[in-house]
Amino acid sequence: MDCTNVQTLLDIYLDRELDAVRNLEIEAHLEGCARCSQSFGDRQIIRYGLKTESLYFKAPADLQKRIQRSVREAARAEMPTPWFSLSWMRIAAPMTAAALVVLLLIPFIKGPSTDERLTEDIVGSHIRSLMVNHLADVPSTDEHTVKPWFNGKIDFSPPVSDLAKEGFPLVGGRLDYLNDRPVAALVYQRDTHVINVFVWPSDKSAQISGPIKTRQGYHVIRWASAGVNFWVVSDLETSQLAKFAELLKSSVATSPR
Amino acid sequence: MGGQDKLERFEQTILPHLDAAYNLARWLTRNEQDAQDMVQEASLRAFKFFDGFRGGDARAWLLTTVRNTCYTWLEQNRKSRATTSFDEELHGVEDNALNPSVLAIKGNDIEMLKESLEELPDEFREVIVLRDLEELSYKQIAEVINAPLGTVMSRLARARGQLKRILCSRFKETP
């Protein structure tokens, strides 16, 4: 084998990816050729230098945790119909027992309040919107696109404001059905968390608000102001969600209807 | 496959290779913060398409996703890729011999080596990172960079040649 051939194969030889026959040929050539031997030596030196620990960047510890968290979140979002999933099977037995107790107690207690039922419905609606990949009928970050879209589809005009500057960008809107009536669902986002805001007219004009409720890991904040019901639901942590609610309240109060 | 089951399998097979993922992303983006973002984004993408992973080489599979994510990012940040137009002529055509003792001894030279590697075009830098730092086989590299084996071999040889030329010219600059 001549120098040109050897030079071509030198890297493959260095990487031990050469077949046995040519391996031997190169070894023999290197023994007798100072020039090729020198350039092989250089490759070894560089390779040796590249193995230095400080050139290999290890993932920072908190990155690992962050990724684990976001992957788990993604896993939760793509869980199949929850009533078949494993975690539901695990709690099915205690639930059956609880149901039995409830059945026995029914004569003595009142059914769930409409408020309670609505909370469940809202959480259910939120989960469905994430599961079936039907977040928005009108995907848009522009409030002036989302708001008019509801014209003619619903008997009121929902207040829509973009809170992107505050870190809660508008993602879109869709129609939903709650409390025996069609309602407007406005979709916002915070990092990877989705926030659904359900809006419909209220018969009370006074400002009221309820405490934060948590169902199946989702938090619900609700209030009514200026004749409109607002129900906000998300898996975002409560302090952040409360901040979002405050922003929404004040932007609705200041924006022209 | 249930969501919980998928999550557990993903955490066991893919997450152990986060160091490899980060190392590649760090060399491709050349900075810490972007590398972290790339790995996070790639991990989520990998999870999303994990059903398509039919066993086999988990590290190469994850690295493929990391690489694709990084290249998308590099496309968008092309302004910082001035090094792609690296001029082979400028850095000397002579096949200079390295002084063996230098690299082996001085810590400074490792820094010089790091800078030289960063100066290489992305396509060259990544094969060196995958081969010499990550120690992947040619076959695995071919999978990650989605190229035939022959391309891997020639690219690796050219990358090393160019790395050596940059190093030599840097040695000459240092008094």
Side-chain angles (χ1 to χ4, degrees), chain A residues 11-12 15 17 38 42 45 47 49-52 55-60 66-67 70 72 78, chain B residues 6 11 19-20 22-23 26-27 36 40 98 100 103 110 131-135 138 160 164:
Chain A
D11 282 287
I12 313 172
D15 290 327
E17 297 247 4
Q38 166 79 52
D42 289 347
I45 294 164
R47 153 106 96 167
L50 287 169
K51 302 273 182 215
T52 312
L55 292 188
Y56 192 101
F57 298 101
K58 288 208 158 95
R66 226 170 50 222
I67 287 176
S70 55
R72 284 188 180 166
E78 64 175 52
Chain B
K6 176 182 171 187
E11 288 187 342
D19 276 343
Y22 180 75
N23 186 48
R26 174 65 179 70
W27 277 109
Q36 294 201 19
Q40 172 133 17
L98 287 174
L103 259 172
I110 295 304
R131 174 65 221 181
D132 291 330
L133 278 65
E134 205 52 63
E135 299 184 343
Y138 283 9
R160 285 184 180 144
K164 183 176 153 186

mmCIF file of all heavy atoms in Angstrom, chain A residues 11-12 15 17 38 42 45 47 49-52 55-60 66-67 70 72 78, chain B residues 6 11 19-20 22-23 26-27 36 40 98 100 103 110 131-135 138 160 164:
data_model
loop_
_atom_site.group_PDB
_atom_site.id
_atom_site.type_symbol
_atom_site.label_atom_id
_atom_site.label_comp_id
_atom_site.label_asym_id
_atom_site.label_seq_id
_atom_site.Cartn_x
_atom_site.Cartn_y
_atom_site.Cartn_z
ATOM 1 N N ASP A 11 -7.693 7.603 9.089
ATOM 2 C CA ASP A 11 -8.710 7.901 10.104
ATOM 3 C C ASP A 11 -9.537 6.661 10.443
ATOM 4 O O ASP A 11 -9.891 6.440 11.592
ATOM 5 C CB ASP A 11 -9.632 9.026 9.612
ATOM 6 C CG ASP A 11 -8.947 10.369 9.769
ATOM 7 O OD1 ASP A 11 -8.835 10.835 10.908
ATOM 8 O OD2 ASP A 11 -8.499 10.933 8.745
ATOM 9 N N ILE A 12 -9.820 5.873 9.403
ATOM 10 C CA ILE A 12 -10.607 4.668 9.635
ATOM 11 C C ILE A 12 -9.779 3.670 10.449
ATOM 12 O O ILE A 12 -10.289 2.960 11.308
ATOM 13 C CB ILE A 12 -11.055 4.062 8.293
ATOM 14 C CG1 ILE A 12 -11.631 5.178 7.399
ATOM 15 C CG2 ILE A 12 -12.096 2.979 8.498
ATOM 16 C CD1 ILE A 12 -11.926 4.765 5.995
ATOM 17 N N ASP A 15 -9.853 4.764 13.987
ATOM 18 C CA ASP A 15 -11.150 4.473 14.615
ATOM 19 C C ASP A 15 -11.410 2.964 14.735
ATOM 20 O O ASP A 15 -12.485 2.575 15.175
ATOM 21 C CB ASP A 15 -12.274 5.125 13.799
ATOM 22 C CG ASP A 15 -12.247 6.639 13.937
ATOM 23 O OD1 ASP A 15 -11.879 7.116 15.014
ATOM 24 O OD2 ASP A 15 -12.599 7.334 12.962
ATOM 25 N N GLU A 17 -12.103 0.827 12.491
ATOM 26 C CA GLU A 17 -13.271 0.417 11.720
ATOM 27 C C GLU A 17 -12.835 -0.209 10.384
ATOM 28 O O GLU A 17 -13.621 -0.340 9.469
ATOM 29 C CB GLU A 17 -14.199 1.619 11.462
ATOM 30 C CG GLU A 17 -14.781 2.225 12.725
ATOM 31 C CD GLU A 17 -16.297 2.054 12.854
ATOM 32 O OE1 GLU A 17 -16.901 1.395 11.986
ATOM 33 O OE2 GLU A 17 -16.858 2.573 13.836
ATOM 34 N N GLN A 38 4.190 9.941 11.280
ATOM 35 C CA GLN A 38 4.050 11.247 11.949
ATOM 36 C C GLN A 38 2.598 11.730 11.894
ATOM 37 O O GLN A 38 2.035 12.176 12.890
ATOM 38 C CB GLN A 38 4.961 12.271 11.265
ATOM 39 C CG GLN A 38 4.684 13.721 11.630
ATOM 40 C CD GLN A 38 5.261 14.114 12.979
ATOM 41 O OE1 GLN A 38 6.440 13.899 13.248
ATOM 42 N NE2 GLN A 38 4.420 14.671 13.839
ATOM 43 N N ASP A 42 0.043 12.545 14.982
ATOM 44 C CA ASP A 42 -0.697 13.786 15.202
ATOM 45 C C ASP A 42 -2.170 13.516 15.485
ATOM 46 O O ASP A 42 -2.776 14.126 16.364
ATOM 47 C CB ASP A 42 -0.590 14.687 13.960
ATOM 48 C CG ASP A 42 0.808 15.268 13.810
ATOM 49 O OD1 ASP A 42 1.583 15.167 14.783
ATOM 50 O OD2 ASP A 42 1.108 15.818 12.735
ATOM 51 N N ILE A 45 -2.604 12.340 18.946
ATOM 52 C CA ILE A 45 -2.460 13.419 19.937
ATOM 53 C C ILE A 45 -3.764 14.222 20.037
ATOM 54 O O ILE A 45 -4.274 14.486 21.122
ATOM 55 C CB ILE A 45 -1.298 14.373 19.549
ATOM 56 C CG1 ILE A 45 0.030 13.628 19.639
ATOM 57 C CG2 ILE A 45 -1.280 15.588 20.466
ATOM 58 C CD1 ILE A 45 1.157 14.348 18.931
ATOM 59 N N ARG A 47 -6.717 13.337 19.129
ATOM 60 C CA ARG A 47 -7.757 12.488 19.679
ATOM 61 C C ARG A 47 -7.615 12.384 21.203
ATOM 62 O O ARG A 47 -8.589 12.452 21.943
ATOM 63 C CB ARG A 47 -7.664 11.107 19.046
ATOM 64 C CG ARG A 47 -8.209 10.019 19.933
ATOM 65 C CD ARG A 47 -9.501 9.526 19.459
ATOM 66 N NE ARG A 47 -9.211 8.363 18.671
ATOM 67 C CZ ARG A 47 -10.122 7.502 18.282
ATOM 68 N NH1 ARG A 47 -11.367 7.719 18.549
ATOM 69 N NH2 ARG A 47 -9.782 6.459 17.605
ATOM 70 N N GLY A 49 -6.265 14.587 23.132
ATOM 71 C CA GLY A 49 -6.683 15.871 23.700
ATOM 72 C C GLY A 49 -8.196 15.998 23.773
ATOM 73 O O GLY A 49 -8.747 16.525 24.734
ATOM 74 N N LEU A 50 -8.871 15.463 22.748
ATOM 75 C CA LEU A 50 -10.340 15.566 22.703
ATOM 76 C C LEU A 50 -11.006 14.754 23.805
ATOM 77 O O LEU A 50 -12.156 14.982 24.146
ATOM 78 C CB LEU A 50 -10.854 15.096 21.337
ATOM 79 C CG LEU A 50 -10.596 16.038 20.156
ATOM 80 C CD1 LEU A 50 -10.896 15.340 18.840
ATOM 81 C CD2 LEU A 50 -11.428 17.307 20.279
ATOM 82 N N LYS A 51 -10.271 13.785 24.335
ATOM 83 C CA LYS A 51 -10.845 12.953 25.392
ATOM 84 C C LYS A 51 -10.808 13.653 26.748
ATOM 85 O O LYS A 51 -11.281 13.114 27.734
ATOM 86 C CB LYS A 51 -10.065 11.634 25.530
ATOM 87 C CG LYS A 51 -10.024 10.816 24.286
ATOM 88 C CD LYS A 51 -11.215 9.909 24.188
ATOM 89 C CE LYS A 51 -11.100 9.060 22.942
ATOM 90 N NZ LYS A 51 -12.392 8.803 22.331
ATOM 91 N N THR A 52 -10.186 14.840 26.783
ATOM 92 C CA THR A 52 -10.106 15.561 28.052
ATOM 93 C C THR A 52 -11.498 15.805 28.614
ATOM 94 O O THR A 52 -12.416 16.181 27.893
ATOM 95 C CB THR A 52 -9.416 16.929 27.844
ATOM 96 O OG1 THR A 52 -8.236 16.721 27.102
ATOM 97 C CG2 THR A 52 -9.090 17.566 29.177
ATOM 98 N N LEU A 55 -13.739 18.876 27.950
ATOM 99 C CA LEU A 55 -14.328 19.112 26.636
ATOM 100 C C LEU A 55 -15.682 18.419 26.491
ATOM 101 O O LEU A 55 -16.387 18.619 25.516
ATOM 102 C CB LEU A 55 -13.384 18.642 25.523
ATOM 103 C CG LEU A 55 -12.103 19.452 25.363
ATOM 104 C CD1 LEU A 55 -11.353 19.012 24.118
ATOM 105 C CD2 LEU A 55 -12.398 20.939 25.285
ATOM 106 N N TYR A 56 -16.015 17.564 27.471
ATOM 107 C CA TYR A 56 -17.316 16.890 27.418
ATOM 108 C C TYR A 56 -18.260 17.611 28.364
ATOM 109 O O TYR A 56 -18.055 17.646 29.565
ATOM 110 C CB TYR A 56 -17.173 15.423 27.826
ATOM 111 C CG TYR A 56 -18.403 14.595 27.511
ATOM 112 C CD1 TYR A 56 -18.441 13.777 26.389
ATOM 113 C CD2 TYR A 56 -19.530 14.638 28.329
ATOM 114 C CE1 TYR A 56 -19.555 13.020 26.088
ATOM 115 C CE2 TYR A 56 -20.650 13.891 28.032
ATOM 116 C CZ TYR A 56 -20.668 13.081 26.911
ATOM 117 O OH TYR A 56 -21.774 12.342 26.617
ATOM 118 N N PHE A 57 -19.306 18.212 27.791
ATOM 119 C CA PHE A 57 -20.224 18.996 28.611
ATOM 120 C C PHE A 57 -21.338 18.106 29.163
ATOM 121 O O PHE A 57 -22.136 17.572 28.405
ATOM 122 C CB PHE A 57 -20.837 20.129 27.791
ATOM 123 C CG PHE A 57 -19.819 21.104 27.294
ATOM 124 C CD1 PHE A 57 -19.363 21.056 25.985
ATOM 125 C CD2 PHE A 57 -19.306 22.067 28.142
ATOM 126 C CE1 PHE A 57 -18.421 21.956 25.523
ATOM 127 C CE2 PHE A 57 -18.364 22.981 27.692
ATOM 128 C CZ PHE A 57 -17.920 22.920 26.389
ATOM 129 N N LYS A 58 -21.347 17.960 30.471
ATOM 130 C CA LYS A 58 -22.406 17.147 31.082
ATOM 131 C C LYS A 58 -23.639 18.005 31.328
ATOM 132 O O LYS A 58 -23.532 19.200 31.622
ATOM 133 C CB LYS A 58 -21.914 16.577 32.412
ATOM 134 C CG LYS A 58 -20.883 15.484 32.225
ATOM 135 C CD LYS A 58 -20.950 14.515 33.410
ATOM 136 C CE LYS A 58 -20.364 13.165 33.057
ATOM 137 N NZ LYS A 58 -18.961 13.030 33.431
ATOM 138 N N ALA A 59 -24.804 17.396 31.234
ATOM 139 C CA ALA A 59 -26.061 18.134 31.445
ATOM 140 C C ALA A 59 -26.121 18.651 32.876
ATOM 141 O O ALA A 59 -25.835 17.911 33.810
ATOM 142 C CB ALA A 59 -27.244 17.219 31.163
ATOM 143 N N PRO A 60 -26.471 19.929 33.066
ATOM 144 C CA PRO A 60 -26.614 20.452 34.433
ATOM 145 C C PRO A 60 -27.720 19.696 35.174
ATOM 146 O O PRO A 60 -28.682 19.242 34.549
ATOM 147 C CB PRO A 60 -27.042 21.910 34.207
ATOM 148 C CG PRO A 60 -26.774 22.205 32.778
ATOM 149 C CD PRO A 60 -26.766 20.912 32.039
ATOM 150 N N ARG A 66 -35.836 19.462 35.175
ATOM 151 C CA ARG A 66 -36.799 20.235 34.400
ATOM 152 C C ARG A 66 -37.404 19.387 33.293
ATOM 153 O O ARG A 66 -38.600 19.425 33.016
ATOM 154 C CB ARG A 66 -36.100 21.457 33.815
ATOM 155 C CG ARG A 66 -36.904 22.708 34.014
ATOM 156 C CD ARG A 66 -36.157 23.950 33.675
ATOM 157 N NE ARG A 66 -35.504 23.966 32.404
ATOM 158 C CZ ARG A 66 -34.285 24.461 32.217
ATOM 159 N NH1 ARG A 66 -33.611 24.938 33.231
ATOM 160 N NH2 ARG A 66 -33.747 24.466 31.028
ATOM 161 N N ILE A 67 -36.540 18.596 32.658
ATOM 162 C CA ILE A 67 -37.016 17.775 31.551
ATOM 163 C C ILE A 67 -37.967 16.700 32.055
ATOM 164 O O ILE A 67 -39.017 16.451 31.470
ATOM 165 C CB ILE A 67 -35.817 17.170 30.792
ATOM 166 C CG1 ILE A 67 -35.145 18.270 30.000
ATOM 167 C CG2 ILE A 67 -36.248 16.020 29.910
ATOM 168 C CD1 ILE A 67 -33.910 17.866 29.279
ATOM 169 N N SER A 70 -41.304 18.314 32.605
ATOM 170 C CA SER A 70 -42.107 18.656 31.429
ATOM 171 C C SER A 70 -42.557 17.407 30.675
ATOM 172 O O SER A 70 -43.630 17.399 30.087
ATOM 173 C CB SER A 70 -41.353 19.620 30.510
ATOM 174 O OG SER A 70 -40.112 19.094 30.167
ATOM 175 N N ARG A 72 -43.318 14.587 32.137
ATOM 176 C CA ARG A 72 -44.460 14.060 32.895
ATOM 177 C C ARG A 72 -45.729 14.841 32.593
ATOM 178 O O ARG A 72 -46.817 14.284 32.495
ATOM 179 C CB ARG A 72 -44.166 14.117 34.388
ATOM 180 C CG ARG A 72 -43.212 13.010 34.760
ATOM 181 C CD ARG A 72 -42.995 12.852 36.222
ATOM 182 N NE ARG A 72 -42.065 11.743 36.392
ATOM 183 C CZ ARG A 72 -41.437 11.476 37.510
ATOM 184 N NH1 ARG A 72 -41.642 12.219 38.577
ATOM 185 N NH2 ARG A 72 -40.609 10.457 37.574
ATOM 186 N N GLU A 78 -51.394 13.666 27.351
ATOM 187 C CA GLU A 78 -51.794 12.736 26.293
ATOM 188 C C GLU A 78 -52.329 11.409 26.817
ATOM 189 O O GLU A 78 -52.427 10.449 26.081
ATOM 190 C CB GLU A 78 -50.645 12.506 25.307
ATOM 191 C CG GLU A 78 -49.418 11.843 25.862
ATOM 192 C CD GLU A 78 -48.395 11.565 24.761
ATOM 193 O OE1 GLU A 78 -48.040 12.486 24.002
ATOM 194 O OE2 GLU A 78 -47.978 10.407 24.662
ATOM 195 N N LYS B 6 -45.849 4.265 28.996
ATOM 196 C CA LYS B 6 -44.980 4.959 28.043
ATOM 197 C C LYS B 6 -44.003 5.863 28.788
ATOM 198 O O LYS B 6 -42.804 5.879 28.490
ATOM 199 C CB LYS B 6 -45.846 5.774 27.084
ATOM 200 C CG LYS B 6 -45.060 6.617 26.110
ATOM 201 C CD LYS B 6 -45.999 7.430 25.231
ATOM 202 C CE LYS B 6 -45.232 8.442 24.402
ATOM 203 N NZ LYS B 6 -46.101 9.362 23.663
ATOM 204 N N GLU B 11 -38.608 7.168 30.549
ATOM 205 C CA GLU B 11 -37.681 7.609 31.592
ATOM 206 C C GLU B 11 -36.534 6.617 31.761
ATOM 207 O O GLU B 11 -35.413 7.003 32.079
ATOM 208 C CB GLU B 11 -38.434 7.809 32.913
ATOM 209 C CG GLU B 11 -39.318 9.055 32.867
ATOM 210 C CD GLU B 11 -39.964 9.392 34.194
ATOM 211 O OE1 GLU B 11 -40.018 8.495 35.074
ATOM 212 O OE2 GLU B 11 -40.414 10.537 34.362
ATOM 213 N N ASP B 19 -26.879 13.401 29.172
ATOM 214 C CA ASP B 19 -25.529 13.975 29.083
ATOM 215 C C ASP B 19 -25.072 14.015 27.629
ATOM 216 O O ASP B 19 -24.557 15.022 27.153
ATOM 217 C CB ASP B 19 -24.535 13.148 29.907
ATOM 218 C CG ASP B 19 -24.554 13.553 31.379
ATOM 219 O OD1 ASP B 19 -25.076 14.644 31.681
ATOM 220 O OD2 ASP B 19 -24.054 12.782 32.212
ATOM 221 N N ALA B 20 -25.269 12.898 26.939
ATOM 222 C CA ALA B 20 -24.890 12.831 25.532
ATOM 223 C C ALA B 20 -25.658 13.875 24.732
ATOM 224 O O ALA B 20 -25.093 14.571 23.880
ATOM 225 C CB ALA B 20 -25.171 11.440 24.977
ATOM 226 N N TYR B 22 -26.974 16.667 25.818
ATOM 227 C CA TYR B 22 -26.536 18.020 26.151
ATOM 228 C C TYR B 22 -25.176 18.320 25.518
ATOM 229 O O TYR B 22 -24.955 19.404 24.975
ATOM 230 C CB TYR B 22 -26.477 18.195 27.664
ATOM 231 C CG TYR B 22 -26.027 19.577 28.070
ATOM 232 C CD1 TYR B 22 -26.888 20.660 27.959
ATOM 233 C CD2 TYR B 22 -24.736 19.804 28.543
ATOM 234 C CE1 TYR B 22 -26.481 21.936 28.310
ATOM 235 C CE2 TYR B 22 -24.320 21.079 28.893
ATOM 236 C CZ TYR B 22 -25.202 22.138 28.776
ATOM 237 O OH TYR B 22 -24.791 23.394 29.121
ATOM 238 N N ASN B 23 -24.284 17.345 25.573
ATOM 239 C CA ASN B 23 -22.948 17.563 24.998
ATOM 240 C C ASN B 23 -23.025 17.922 23.508
ATOM 241 O O ASN B 23 -22.411 18.880 23.054
ATOM 242 C CB ASN B 23 -22.088 16.313 25.204
ATOM 243 C CG ASN B 23 -20.645 16.515 24.751
ATOM 244 O OD1 ASN B 23 -20.011 17.501 25.092
ATOM 245 N ND2 ASN B 23 -20.153 15.588 23.943
ATOM 246 N N ARG B 26 -24.617 21.335 23.132
ATOM 247 C CA ARG B 26 -23.702 22.379 23.587
ATOM 248 C C ARG B 26 -22.652 22.689 22.519
ATOM 249 O O ARG B 26 -22.296 23.832 22.278
ATOM 250 C CB ARG B 26 -23.053 21.931 24.886
ATOM 251 C CG ARG B 26 -21.976 22.824 25.445
ATOM 252 C CD ARG B 26 -22.524 24.181 25.865
ATOM 253 N NE ARG B 26 -21.455 25.009 26.413
ATOM 254 C CZ ARG B 26 -20.462 25.538 25.706
ATOM 255 N NH1 ARG B 26 -20.420 25.317 24.404
ATOM 256 N NH2 ARG B 26 -19.529 26.265 26.271
ATOM 257 N N TRP B 27 -22.168 21.632 21.845
ATOM 258 C CA TRP B 27 -21.172 21.850 20.798
ATOM 259 C C TRP B 27 -21.800 22.448 19.546
ATOM 260 O O TRP B 27 -21.159 23.190 18.811
ATOM 261 C CB TRP B 27 -20.452 20.545 20.458
ATOM 262 C CG TRP B 27 -19.335 20.244 21.411
ATOM 263 C CD1 TRP B 27 -19.314 19.264 22.365
ATOM 264 C CD2 TRP B 27 -18.074 20.925 21.520
ATOM 265 N NE1 TRP B 27 -18.139 19.304 23.066
ATOM 266 C CE2 TRP B 27 -17.348 20.314 22.563
ATOM 267 C CE3 TRP B 27 -17.495 21.993 20.838
ATOM 268 C CZ2 TRP B 27 -16.074 20.730 22.938
ATOM 269 C CZ3 TRP B 27 -16.225 22.410 21.210
ATOM 270 C CH2 TRP B 27 -15.523 21.788 22.249
ATOM 271 N N GLN B 36 -29.411 24.032 26.593
ATOM 272 C CA GLN B 36 -30.441 23.529 27.515
ATOM 273 C C GLN B 36 -31.816 23.560 26.855
ATOM 274 O O GLN B 36 -32.579 22.602 26.941
ATOM 275 C CB GLN B 36 -30.465 24.388 28.782
ATOM 276 C CG GLN B 36 -29.202 24.254 29.595
ATOM 277 C CD GLN B 36 -29.413 24.666 31.041
ATOM 278 O OE1 GLN B 36 -30.532 24.725 31.523
ATOM 279 N NE2 GLN B 36 -28.332 24.951 31.734
ATOM 280 N N GLN B 40 -34.211 20.321 26.058
ATOM 281 C CA GLN B 40 -35.578 20.254 26.584
ATOM 282 C C GLN B 40 -36.582 20.054 25.448
ATOM 283 O O GLN B 40 -37.450 19.188 25.502
ATOM 284 C CB GLN B 40 -35.897 21.548 27.339
ATOM 285 C CG GLN B 40 -37.363 21.639 27.752
ATOM 286 C CD GLN B 40 -37.534 22.068 29.188
ATOM 287 O OE1 GLN B 40 -36.615 22.598 29.792
ATOM 288 N NE2 GLN B 40 -38.694 21.835 29.746
ATOM 289 N N LEU B 98 2.495 18.323 14.161
ATOM 290 C CA LEU B 98 2.297 18.866 15.495
ATOM 291 C C LEU B 98 3.471 18.458 16.374
ATOM 292 O O LEU B 98 4.078 17.425 16.182
ATOM 293 C CB LEU B 98 1.015 18.298 16.109
ATOM 294 C CG LEU B 98 -0.302 18.812 15.562
ATOM 295 C CD1 LEU B 98 -1.431 18.031 16.186
ATOM 296 C CD2 LEU B 98 -0.456 20.284 15.860
ATOM 297 N N PRO B 100 4.414 16.800 19.431
ATOM 298 C CA PRO B 100 3.680 15.894 20.311
ATOM 299 C C PRO B 100 3.644 16.345 21.766
ATOM 300 O O PRO B 100 2.637 16.184 22.434
ATOM 301 C CB PRO B 100 4.448 14.584 20.191
ATOM 302 C CG PRO B 100 5.190 14.683 18.920
ATOM 303 C CD PRO B 100 5.473 16.129 18.701
ATOM 304 N N LEU B 103 0.584 19.325 23.158
ATOM 305 C CA LEU B 103 -0.787 19.029 23.546
ATOM 306 C C LEU B 103 -0.871 18.197 24.807
ATOM 307 O O LEU B 103 -1.785 18.340 25.610
ATOM 308 C CB LEU B 103 -1.484 18.273 22.419
ATOM 309 C CG LEU B 103 -2.403 19.115 21.560
ATOM 310 C CD1 LEU B 103 -2.854 18.303 20.385
ATOM 311 C CD2 LEU B 103 -3.597 19.584 22.368
ATOM 312 N N ILE B 110 -5.458 22.631 25.630
ATOM 313 C CA ILE B 110 -6.808 22.084 25.638
ATOM 314 C C ILE B 110 -7.796 23.202 25.302
ATOM 315 O O ILE B 110 -8.728 23.024 24.528
ATOM 316 C CB ILE B 110 -7.140 21.460 27.011
ATOM 317 C CG1 ILE B 110 -6.242 20.253 27.273
ATOM 318 C CG2 ILE B 110 -8.599 21.036 27.070
ATOM 319 C CD1 ILE B 110 -6.309 19.182 26.214
ATOM 320 N N ARG B 131 -17.882 11.086 17.242
ATOM 321 C CA ARG B 131 -16.907 10.000 17.207
ATOM 322 C C ARG B 131 -15.927 10.059 18.393
ATOM 323 O O ARG B 131 -15.780 9.120 19.149
ATOM 324 C CB ARG B 131 -16.133 10.048 15.880
ATOM 325 C CG ARG B 131 -14.995 9.071 15.764
ATOM 326 C CD ARG B 131 -15.468 7.638 15.767
ATOM 327 N NE ARG B 131 -14.572 6.806 16.568
ATOM 328 C CZ ARG B 131 -14.714 5.507 16.737
ATOM 329 N NH1 ARG B 131 -15.710 4.882 16.182
ATOM 330 N NH2 ARG B 131 -13.867 4.830 17.468
ATOM 331 N N ASP B 132 -15.261 11.176 18.561
ATOM 332 C CA ASP B 132 -14.158 11.226 19.521
ATOM 333 C C ASP B 132 -14.608 11.529 20.944
ATOM 334 O O ASP B 132 -13.962 11.115 21.896
ATOM 335 C CB ASP B 132 -13.114 12.247 19.064
ATOM 336 C CG ASP B 132 -12.398 11.775 17.812
ATOM 337 O OD1 ASP B 132 -12.266 10.549 17.658
ATOM 338 O OD2 ASP B 132 -11.990 12.614 16.987
ATOM 339 N N LEU B 133 -15.703 12.284 21.107
ATOM 340 C CA LEU B 133 -16.173 12.559 22.462
ATOM 341 C C LEU B 133 -17.233 11.542 22.889
ATOM 342 O O LEU B 133 -17.214 11.023 23.986
ATOM 343 C CB LEU B 133 -16.752 13.984 22.563
ATOM 344 C CG LEU B 133 -15.734 15.116 22.758
ATOM 345 C CD1 LEU B 133 -14.834 15.272 21.571
ATOM 346 C CD2 LEU B 133 -16.441 16.422 23.061
ATOM 347 N N GLU B 134 -18.155 11.281 21.974
ATOM 348 C CA GLU B 134 -19.272 10.388 22.315
ATOM 349 C C GLU B 134 -18.928 8.932 22.029
ATOM 350 O O GLU B 134 -19.593 8.031 22.519
ATOM 351 C CB GLU B 134 -20.502 10.830 21.513
ATOM 352 C CG GLU B 134 -21.835 10.464 22.112
ATOM 353 C CD GLU B 134 -21.966 10.901 23.551
ATOM 354 O OE1 GLU B 134 -21.929 12.108 23.846
ATOM 355 O OE2 GLU B 134 -22.093 10.005 24.409
ATOM 356 N N GLU B 135 -17.901 8.720 21.219
ATOM 357 C CA GLU B 135 -17.424 7.384 20.867
ATOM 358 C C GLU B 135 -18.482 6.501 20.210
ATOM 359 O O GLU B 135 -18.595 5.313 20.506
ATOM 360 C CB GLU B 135 -16.818 6.693 22.105
ATOM 361 C CG GLU B 135 -15.637 7.489 22.630
ATOM 362 C CD GLU B 135 -14.926 6.824 23.809
ATOM 363 O OE1 GLU B 135 -15.519 5.930 24.426
ATOM 364 O OE2 GLU B 135 -13.788 7.222 24.087
ATOM 365 N N TYR B 138 -19.170 4.229 13.438
ATOM 366 C CA TYR B 138 -19.513 4.856 12.166
ATOM 367 C C TYR B 138 -20.993 4.625 11.836
ATOM 368 O O TYR B 138 -21.668 5.498 11.318
ATOM 369 C CB TYR B 138 -18.640 4.290 11.032
ATOM 370 C CG TYR B 138 -17.228 4.829 11.001
ATOM 371 C CD1 TYR B 138 -16.736 5.609 12.042
ATOM 372 C CD2 TYR B 138 -16.386 4.556 9.929
ATOM 373 C CE1 TYR B 138 -15.436 6.104 12.003
ATOM 374 C CE2 TYR B 138 -15.092 5.048 9.880
ATOM 375 C CZ TYR B 138 -14.617 5.817 10.925
ATOM 376 O OH TYR B 138 -13.333 6.305 10.877
ATOM 377 N N ARG B 160 -11.105 16.154 10.641
ATOM 378 C CA ARG B 160 -9.880 16.050 11.438
ATOM 379 C C ARG B 160 -8.731 16.791 10.783
ATOM 380 O O ARG B 160 -7.916 17.429 11.451
ATOM 381 C CB ARG B 160 -9.514 14.581 11.645
ATOM 382 C CG ARG B 160 -10.406 13.905 12.672
ATOM 383 C CD ARG B 160 -9.943 12.491 12.896
ATOM 384 N NE ARG B 160 -10.769 11.806 13.877
ATOM 385 C CZ ARG B 160 -11.077 10.516 13.796
ATOM 386 N NH1 ARG B 160 -10.637 9.799 12.780
ATOM 387 N NH2 ARG B 160 -11.813 9.950 14.732
ATOM 388 N N LYS B 164 -6.807 19.915 12.484
ATOM 389 C CA LYS B 164 -5.353 19.932 12.654
ATOM 390 C C LYS B 164 -4.749 21.206 12.065
ATOM 391 O O LYS B 164 -3.862 21.820 12.661
ATOM 392 C CB LYS B 164 -4.752 18.698 11.973
ATOM 393 C CG LYS B 164 -3.246 18.590 12.160
ATOM 394 C CD LYS B 164 -2.745 17.313 11.545
ATOM 395 C CE LYS B 164 -1.287 17.479 11.127
ATOM 396 N NZ LYS B 164 -0.787 16.322 10.397
#
